PDB file of all heavy atoms in Angstrom:
ATOM      1  N   GLY X   1      -7.608  35.698  25.202  1.00  0.00           N
ATOM      2  CA  GLY X   1      -6.228  35.270  25.017  1.00  0.00           C
ATOM      3  C   GLY X   1      -5.985  34.380  23.802  1.00  0.00           C
ATOM      4  O   GLY X   1      -4.907  33.866  23.625  1.00  0.00           O
ATOM      5  N   GLY X   2      -7.004  34.270  22.938  1.00  0.00           N
ATOM      6  CA  GLY X   2      -6.836  33.538  21.676  1.00  0.00           C
ATOM      7  C   GLY X   2      -6.625  32.032  21.907  1.00  0.00           C
ATOM      8  O   GLY X   2      -6.141  31.404  21.022  1.00  0.00           O
ATOM      9  N   GLY X   3      -7.021  31.497  23.086  1.00  0.00           N
ATOM     10  CA  GLY X   3      -6.806  30.085  23.378  1.00  0.00           C
ATOM     11  C   GLY X   3      -5.698  29.902  24.377  1.00  0.00           C
ATOM     12  O   GLY X   3      -5.377  28.718  24.713  1.00  0.00           O
ATOM     13  N   SER X   4      -5.033  30.936  24.845  1.00  0.00           N
ATOM     14  CA  SER X   4      -3.997  30.782  25.869  1.00  0.00           C
ATOM     15  C   SER X   4      -4.606  30.317  27.161  1.00  0.00           C
ATOM     16  O   SER X   4      -5.762  30.561  27.456  1.00  0.00           O
ATOM     17  CB  SER X   4      -3.268  32.126  26.087  1.00  0.00           C
ATOM     18  OG  SER X   4      -2.679  32.616  24.869  1.00  0.00           O
ATOM     19  N   LEU X   5      -3.787  29.639  27.962  1.00  0.00           N
ATOM     20  CA  LEU X   5      -4.224  29.097  29.266  1.00  0.00           C
ATOM     21  C   LEU X   5      -3.259  29.616  30.341  1.00  0.00           C
ATOM     22  O   LEU X   5      -2.091  29.901  30.054  1.00  0.00           O
ATOM     23  CB  LEU X   5      -4.178  27.575  29.251  1.00  0.00           C
ATOM     24  CG  LEU X   5      -4.995  26.840  28.152  1.00  0.00           C
ATOM     25  CD1 LEU X   5      -4.733  25.360  28.202  1.00  0.00           C
ATOM     26  CD2 LEU X   5      -6.490  27.130  28.306  1.00  0.00           C
ATOM     27  N   THR X   6      -3.737  29.576  31.586  1.00  0.00           N
ATOM     28  CA  THR X   6      -2.862  29.985  32.680  1.00  0.00           C
ATOM     29  C   THR X   6      -3.269  29.337  33.980  1.00  0.00           C
ATOM     30  O   THR X   6      -4.469  28.940  34.149  1.00  0.00           O
ATOM     31  CB  THR X   6      -2.816  31.556  32.852  1.00  0.00           C
ATOM     32  OG1 THR X   6      -1.735  31.904  33.725  1.00  0.00           O
ATOM     33  CG2 THR X   6      -4.132  32.053  33.432  1.00  0.00           C
ATOM     34  N   ASP X   7      -2.345  29.179  34.894  1.00  0.00           N
ATOM     35  CA  ASP X   7      -2.652  28.745  36.290  1.00  0.00           C
ATOM     36  C   ASP X   7      -1.776  29.608  37.210  1.00  0.00           C
ATOM     37  O   ASP X   7      -1.262  30.648  36.802  1.00  0.00           O
ATOM     38  CB  ASP X   7      -2.447  27.231  36.441  1.00  0.00           C
ATOM     39  CG  ASP X   7      -0.995  26.790  36.118  1.00  0.00           C
ATOM     40  OD1 ASP X   7      -0.084  27.593  36.139  1.00  0.00           O
ATOM     41  OD2 ASP X   7      -0.852  25.586  35.784  1.00  0.00           O
ATOM     42  N   SER X   8      -1.659  29.189  38.405  1.00  0.00           N
ATOM     43  CA  SER X   8      -0.950  30.068  39.438  1.00  0.00           C
ATOM     44  C   SER X   8       0.474  30.266  39.143  1.00  0.00           C
ATOM     45  O   SER X   8       1.059  31.272  39.636  1.00  0.00           O
ATOM     46  CB  SER X   8      -1.109  29.435  40.825  1.00  0.00           C
ATOM     47  OG  SER X   8      -0.493  28.137  40.904  1.00  0.00           O
ATOM     48  N   ASP X   9       1.166  29.370  38.400  1.00  0.00           N
ATOM     49  CA  ASP X   9       2.596  29.516  38.259  1.00  0.00           C
ATOM     50  C   ASP X   9       3.109  29.384  36.795  1.00  0.00           C
ATOM     51  O   ASP X   9       4.269  29.315  36.545  1.00  0.00           O
ATOM     52  CB  ASP X   9       3.340  28.520  39.132  1.00  0.00           C
ATOM     53  CG  ASP X   9       2.964  27.070  38.878  1.00  0.00           C
ATOM     54  OD1 ASP X   9       2.366  26.796  37.795  1.00  0.00           O
ATOM     55  OD2 ASP X   9       3.205  26.208  39.741  1.00  0.00           O
ATOM     56  N   SER X  10       2.177  29.307  35.775  1.00  0.00           N
ATOM     57  CA  SER X  10       2.651  29.179  34.452  1.00  0.00           C
ATOM     58  C   SER X  10       1.637  29.758  33.453  1.00  0.00           C
ATOM     59  O   SER X  10       0.473  30.026  33.790  1.00  0.00           O
ATOM     60  CB  SER X  10       2.933  27.692  34.108  1.00  0.00           C
ATOM     61  OG  SER X  10       1.718  26.961  34.061  1.00  0.00           O
ATOM     62  N   PHE X  11       2.094  29.867  32.198  1.00  0.00           N
ATOM     63  CA  PHE X  11       1.301  30.423  31.135  1.00  0.00           C
ATOM     64  C   PHE X  11       1.518  29.557  29.887  1.00  0.00           C
ATOM     65  O   PHE X  11       2.666  29.205  29.549  1.00  0.00           O
ATOM     66  CB  PHE X  11       1.694  31.894  30.861  1.00  0.00           C
ATOM     67  CG  PHE X  11       0.831  32.598  29.914  1.00  0.00           C
ATOM     68  CD1 PHE X  11      -0.304  33.308  30.395  1.00  0.00           C
ATOM     69  CD2 PHE X  11       1.090  32.652  28.522  1.00  0.00           C
ATOM     70  CE1 PHE X  11      -1.166  33.994  29.482  1.00  0.00           C
ATOM     71  CE2 PHE X  11       0.266  33.310  27.654  1.00  0.00           C
ATOM     72  CZ  PHE X  11      -0.896  34.028  28.154  1.00  0.00           C
ATOM     73  N   GLU X  12       0.482  29.243  29.194  1.00  0.00           N
ATOM     74  CA  GLU X  12       0.545  28.488  27.948  1.00  0.00           C
ATOM     75  C   GLU X  12      -0.005  29.289  26.836  1.00  0.00           C
ATOM     76  O   GLU X  12      -1.166  29.587  26.815  1.00  0.00           O
ATOM     77  CB  GLU X  12      -0.206  27.143  28.073  1.00  0.00           C
ATOM     78  CG  GLU X  12      -0.206  26.343  26.790  1.00  0.00           C
ATOM     79  CD  GLU X  12      -1.038  25.085  26.846  1.00  0.00           C
ATOM     80  OE1 GLU X  12      -1.451  24.673  27.961  1.00  0.00           O
ATOM     81  OE2 GLU X  12      -1.336  24.474  25.742  1.00  0.00           O
ATOM     82  N   PRO X  13       0.802  29.742  25.896  1.00  0.00           N
ATOM     83  CA  PRO X  13       0.293  30.582  24.803  1.00  0.00           C
ATOM     84  C   PRO X  13      -0.517  29.732  23.807  1.00  0.00           C
ATOM     85  O   PRO X  13      -0.528  28.487  23.797  1.00  0.00           O
ATOM     86  CB  PRO X  13       1.534  31.155  24.106  1.00  0.00           C
ATOM     87  CG  PRO X  13       2.610  30.077  24.386  1.00  0.00           C
ATOM     88  CD  PRO X  13       2.224  29.548  25.789  1.00  0.00           C
ATOM     89  N   ARG X  14      -1.294  30.426  22.972  1.00  0.00           N
ATOM     90  CA  ARG X  14      -2.096  29.722  21.897  1.00  0.00           C
ATOM     91  C   ARG X  14      -1.168  28.887  21.026  1.00  0.00           C
ATOM     92  O   ARG X  14       0.030  29.181  20.898  1.00  0.00           O
ATOM     93  CB  ARG X  14      -2.843  30.758  21.078  1.00  0.00           C
ATOM     94  CG  ARG X  14      -1.988  31.757  20.329  1.00  0.00           C
ATOM     95  CD  ARG X  14      -2.822  32.891  19.746  1.00  0.00           C
ATOM     96  NE  ARG X  14      -1.930  33.871  19.117  1.00  0.00           N
ATOM     97  CZ  ARG X  14      -1.691  34.000  17.804  1.00  0.00           C
ATOM     98  NH1 ARG X  14      -2.307  33.174  16.981  1.00  0.00           N
ATOM     99  NH2 ARG X  14      -0.871  34.910  17.345  1.00  0.00           N
ATOM    100  N   ASN X  15      -1.717  27.845  20.433  1.00  0.00           N
ATOM    101  CA  ASN X  15      -0.953  26.878  19.680  1.00  0.00           C
ATOM    102  C   ASN X  15      -0.107  27.525  18.570  1.00  0.00           C
ATOM    103  O   ASN X  15       1.027  27.091  18.346  1.00  0.00           O
ATOM    104  CB  ASN X  15      -1.890  25.849  19.082  1.00  0.00           C
ATOM    105  CG  ASN X  15      -2.447  24.892  20.124  1.00  0.00           C
ATOM    106  OD1 ASN X  15      -1.897  24.767  21.186  1.00  0.00           O
ATOM    107  ND2 ASN X  15      -3.590  24.307  19.805  1.00  0.00           N
ATOM    108  N   ALA X  16      -0.626  28.533  17.906  1.00  0.00           N
ATOM    109  CA  ALA X  16       0.027  29.106  16.735  1.00  0.00           C
ATOM    110  C   ALA X  16       1.318  29.809  17.022  1.00  0.00           C
ATOM    111  O   ALA X  16       2.093  30.093  16.134  1.00  0.00           O
ATOM    112  CB  ALA X  16      -0.938  30.088  16.015  1.00  0.00           C
ATOM    113  N   VAL X  17       1.572  30.122  18.341  1.00  0.00           N
ATOM    114  CA  VAL X  17       2.817  30.820  18.654  1.00  0.00           C
ATOM    115  C   VAL X  17       3.609  30.095  19.725  1.00  0.00           C
ATOM    116  O   VAL X  17       4.574  30.673  20.258  1.00  0.00           O
ATOM    117  CB  VAL X  17       2.564  32.302  19.108  1.00  0.00           C
ATOM    118  CG1 VAL X  17       1.983  33.087  17.955  1.00  0.00           C
ATOM    119  CG2 VAL X  17       1.625  32.331  20.270  1.00  0.00           C
ATOM    120  N   LYS X  18       3.341  28.866  20.015  1.00  0.00           N
ATOM    121  CA  LYS X  18       4.057  28.133  20.992  1.00  0.00           C
ATOM    122  C   LYS X  18       5.574  28.045  20.628  1.00  0.00           C
ATOM    123  O   LYS X  18       6.483  28.223  21.440  1.00  0.00           O
ATOM    124  CB  LYS X  18       3.488  26.731  21.199  1.00  0.00           C
ATOM    125  CG  LYS X  18       2.261  26.641  22.090  1.00  0.00           C
ATOM    126  CD  LYS X  18       1.790  25.230  22.311  1.00  0.00           C
ATOM    127  CE  LYS X  18       0.818  25.081  23.465  1.00  0.00           C
ATOM    128  NZ  LYS X  18      -0.472  25.675  23.187  1.00  0.00           N
ATOM    129  N   GLY X  19       5.824  27.720  19.344  1.00  0.00           N
ATOM    130  CA  GLY X  19       7.198  27.593  18.866  1.00  0.00           C
ATOM    131  C   GLY X  19       7.898  28.945  18.866  1.00  0.00           C
ATOM    132  O   GLY X  19       9.079  29.016  19.244  1.00  0.00           O
ATOM    133  N   ASP X  20       7.172  30.029  18.533  1.00  0.00           N
ATOM    134  CA  ASP X  20       7.704  31.339  18.574  1.00  0.00           C
ATOM    135  C   ASP X  20       8.232  31.672  19.965  1.00  0.00           C
ATOM    136  O   ASP X  20       9.359  32.201  20.163  1.00  0.00           O
ATOM    137  CB  ASP X  20       6.678  32.383  18.228  1.00  0.00           C
ATOM    138  CG  ASP X  20       5.985  32.182  16.853  1.00  0.00           C
ATOM    139  OD1 ASP X  20       5.519  31.060  16.638  1.00  0.00           O
ATOM    140  OD2 ASP X  20       5.880  33.131  16.071  1.00  0.00           O
ATOM    141  N   VAL X  21       7.414  31.360  20.993  1.00  0.00           N
ATOM    142  CA  VAL X  21       7.767  31.612  22.370  1.00  0.00           C
ATOM    143  C   VAL X  21       8.995  30.844  22.754  1.00  0.00           C
ATOM    144  O   VAL X  21      10.012  31.368  23.336  1.00  0.00           O
ATOM    145  CB  VAL X  21       6.604  31.316  23.307  1.00  0.00           C
ATOM    146  CG1 VAL X  21       7.073  31.212  24.768  1.00  0.00           C
ATOM    147  CG2 VAL X  21       5.470  32.347  23.190  1.00  0.00           C
ATOM    148  N   ALA X  22       9.035  29.592  22.421  1.00  0.00           N
ATOM    149  CA  ALA X  22      10.165  28.707  22.709  1.00  0.00           C
ATOM    150  C   ALA X  22      11.437  29.240  22.115  1.00  0.00           C
ATOM    151  O   ALA X  22      12.494  29.364  22.753  1.00  0.00           O
ATOM    152  CB  ALA X  22       9.917  27.298  22.243  1.00  0.00           C
ATOM    153  N   ARG X  23      11.410  29.652  20.843  1.00  0.00           N
ATOM    154  CA  ARG X  23      12.619  30.073  20.166  1.00  0.00           C
ATOM    155  C   ARG X  23      13.092  31.436  20.670  1.00  0.00           C
ATOM    156  O   ARG X  23      14.280  31.753  20.653  1.00  0.00           O
ATOM    157  CB  ARG X  23      12.337  30.117  18.632  1.00  0.00           C
ATOM    158  CG  ARG X  23      12.284  28.691  18.040  1.00  0.00           C
ATOM    159  CD  ARG X  23      12.052  28.706  16.571  1.00  0.00           C
ATOM    160  NE  ARG X  23      10.688  28.937  16.214  1.00  0.00           N
ATOM    161  CZ  ARG X  23       9.699  28.057  16.119  1.00  0.00           C
ATOM    162  NH1 ARG X  23       9.923  26.770  16.440  1.00  0.00           N
ATOM    163  NH2 ARG X  23       8.507  28.383  15.768  1.00  0.00           N
ATOM    164  N   MET X  24      12.162  32.279  21.142  1.00  0.00           N
ATOM    165  CA  MET X  24      12.555  33.588  21.746  1.00  0.00           C
ATOM    166  C   MET X  24      13.255  33.361  23.085  1.00  0.00           C
ATOM    167  O   MET X  24      14.331  33.999  23.382  1.00  0.00           O
ATOM    168  CB  MET X  24      11.305  34.437  21.923  1.00  0.00           C
ATOM    169  CG  MET X  24      10.864  35.117  20.634  1.00  0.00           C
ATOM    170  SD  MET X  24       9.447  36.286  20.921  1.00  0.00           S
ATOM    171  CE  MET X  24       8.088  35.181  21.056  1.00  0.00           C
ATOM    172  N   ILE X  25      12.709  32.445  23.887  1.00  0.00           N
ATOM    173  CA  ILE X  25      13.321  32.151  25.190  1.00  0.00           C
ATOM    174  C   ILE X  25      14.700  31.591  24.991  1.00  0.00           C
ATOM    175  O   ILE X  25      15.686  31.946  25.641  1.00  0.00           O
ATOM    176  CB  ILE X  25      12.464  31.156  25.989  1.00  0.00           C
ATOM    177  CG1 ILE X  25      11.156  31.782  26.380  1.00  0.00           C
ATOM    178  CG2 ILE X  25      13.204  30.620  27.210  1.00  0.00           C
ATOM    179  CD1 ILE X  25      11.246  32.977  27.301  1.00  0.00           C
ATOM    180  N   LEU X  26      14.908  30.667  24.048  1.00  0.00           N
ATOM    181  CA  LEU X  26      16.211  30.022  23.863  1.00  0.00           C
ATOM    182  C   LEU X  26      17.186  30.989  23.172  1.00  0.00           C
ATOM    183  O   LEU X  26      18.412  30.860  23.413  1.00  0.00           O
ATOM    184  CB  LEU X  26      15.981  28.740  23.069  1.00  0.00           C
ATOM    185  CG  LEU X  26      15.118  27.712  23.827  1.00  0.00           C
ATOM    186  CD1 LEU X  26      14.823  26.484  22.984  1.00  0.00           C
ATOM    187  CD2 LEU X  26      15.733  27.331  25.189  1.00  0.00           C
ATOM    188  N   TYR X  27      16.693  31.898  22.324  1.00  0.00           N
ATOM    189  CA  TYR X  27      17.607  32.980  21.821  1.00  0.00           C
ATOM    190  C   TYR X  27      18.211  33.742  22.972  1.00  0.00           C
ATOM    191  O   TYR X  27      19.417  33.972  23.029  1.00  0.00           O
ATOM    192  CB  TYR X  27      16.790  33.922  20.909  1.00  0.00           C
ATOM    193  CG  TYR X  27      17.478  35.261  20.701  1.00  0.00           C
ATOM    194  CD1 TYR X  27      18.402  35.456  19.761  1.00  0.00           C
ATOM    195  CD2 TYR X  27      17.169  36.313  21.569  1.00  0.00           C
ATOM    196  CE1 TYR X  27      19.079  36.668  19.589  1.00  0.00           C
ATOM    197  CE2 TYR X  27      17.801  37.546  21.447  1.00  0.00           C
ATOM    198  CZ  TYR X  27      18.763  37.684  20.461  1.00  0.00           C
ATOM    199  OH  TYR X  27      19.418  38.966  20.371  1.00  0.00           O
ATOM    200  N   MET X  28      17.352  34.128  23.919  1.00  0.00           N
ATOM    201  CA  MET X  28      17.876  34.911  25.089  1.00  0.00           C
ATOM    202  C   MET X  28      18.897  34.132  25.871  1.00  0.00           C
ATOM    203  O   MET X  28      19.852  34.703  26.345  1.00  0.00           O
ATOM    204  CB  MET X  28      16.667  35.307  25.976  1.00  0.00           C
ATOM    205  CG  MET X  28      15.693  36.281  25.348  1.00  0.00           C
ATOM    206  SD  MET X  28      16.394  37.933  25.049  1.00  0.00           S
ATOM    207  CE  MET X  28      16.313  38.591  26.754  1.00  0.00           C
TER     208      MET X  28
END
């Protein structure tokens, strides 16, 4: 996963795309 993390109810992407994920969610 390139450094991504996960647990039973959430997912944390690798550092290099954290902002990308946030901006995609907020666009939607």
Side-chain angles (χ1 to χ4, degrees):
S4 300
L5 305 174
T6 193
D7 56 25
S8 62
D9 56 18
S10 70
F11 189 89
E12 178 184 346
R14 61 192 175 99
N15 289 337
V17 295
K18 280 184 164 71
D20 305 49
V21 166
R23 288 180 283 274
M24 285 185 280
I25 293 298
L26 299 175
Y27 161 86
M28 292 292 282

